[in-house]
Amino acid sequence: MKNFLQTNLSGLRQKLRALRAKKDGIAAMEFALIAPVMIGIYLGVTETVMLIEANRKVSKTAAVMADLITQLEVADVEDITNVMTAGVLISGVSRQNRRNLTIDIRSFSFNPNNGRARWVGFTRLGRGLRTERLIPRNVDPSLVEDNSGIVAATVNFDYEPVTFRFVDSITLSDQFFFKPRLSEGVLFENPERNNPIVITCFIRSTLAVQCG
């Protein structure tokens, strides 16, 4: 009787070990199937959060650029340099992706000869806009009045995914229109150029802004 019980208990223990090993194998297989999906979801959520944050910085940069410029009556090279420096700091660009940022500010006033907008000033940091050019004839006439012009600030940023390197860059863009506060239009002055209302800027490797 004792031998019979020992034999059956031994067989039961072996079956339990086999069952445990089988469950461990199933669990390992389930983990191997689920882990890539969970990691992909985690990376996707992380990338989405960073993209939303970058887009928020683009919008904030455009709003601040328009706000700062419209507080001036005349903007010279030094003024534009200070404004662009503020924009670079707000955008949060690094040395590696500084060339992905474009800031475009255009000032218009009312042209009584045709009732439409006319150039008062133009400044750009970076490679230039990829969207349709904002020129006087494309400005909505309702935005300019006999005694009040308009300032348009546009910011573009080519966002490069951090985790999904195989995905092409995504161009984030926003544009704000502000009314000048001290004059009919914000005049740009650049005595060093043939066209005194045009000021171009770029970002150095140190993230310092140079305009001229």
Side-chain angles (χ1 to χ4, degrees), residues 18-19 30 34 39 56 74 83 184 189-190:
L19 181 61
E30 289 176 346
I34 296 175
I39 293 173
R56 186 188 66 82
V74 178
V83 170
E184 177 184 343
E189 287 187 349
N190 186 6

Side-chain angles (χ1 to χ4, degrees), residues 21-138:
K22 182 181 291 186
K23 287 184 176 179
D24 291 343
I26 293 174
M29 184 177 297
E30 289 176 346
F31 178 78
L33 293 173
I34 296 175
V37 177
M38 297 301 295
I39 293 173
I41 293 174
Y42 172 77
L43 294 177
V45 170
T46 302
E47 194 69 62
T48 301
V49 170
M50 290 189 292
L51 178 62
I52 293 173
E53 177 64 16
N55 190 59
R56 186 188 66 82
K57 288 182 178 180
V58 166
S59 297
K60 186 175 182 180
T61 302
V64 171
M65 293 296 92
D67 182 46
L68 291 177
I69 286 293
T70 52
Q71 295 181 44
L72 300 172
E73 186 172 358
V74 178
D76 57 19
V77 174
E78 183 179 357
D79 294 326
I80 295 298
T81 301
N82 293 334
V83 170
M84 290 296 189
T85 299
V88 170
L89 293 174
I90 295 170
S91 69
V93 296
S94 63
R95 295 180 181 180
Q96 290 72 28
N97 62 9
R98 68 185 188 278
R99 293 186 178 88
N100 295 1
L101 177 68
T102 296
I103 300 176
D104 184 285
I105 304 174
R106 306 183 183 208
S107 179
F108 304 94
S109 65
F110 180 76
N111 187 349
N113 295 326
N114 57 14
R116 301 182 67 86
R118 65 181 174 187
W119 287 114
V120 183
F122 168 61
T123 181
R124 182 188 66 241
L125 179 145
R127 296 173 294 181
L129 295 178
R130 296 181 179 179
T131 56
E132 181 180 358
R133 290 187 61 192
L134 183 63
I135 56 179
R137 68 169 178 268
N138 293 337

Side-chain angles (χ1 to χ4, degrees), residues 108-118 120 140-150 179-180 183-185:
F108 304 94
S109 65
F110 180 76
N111 187 349
N113 295 326
N114 57 14
R116 301 182 67 86
R118 65 181 174 187
V120 183
D140 187 344
S142 63
L143 295 177
V144 291
E145 304 169 353
D146 190 18
N147 60 350
S148 180
I150 196 75
K179 285 288 187 178
S183 60
E184 177 184 343

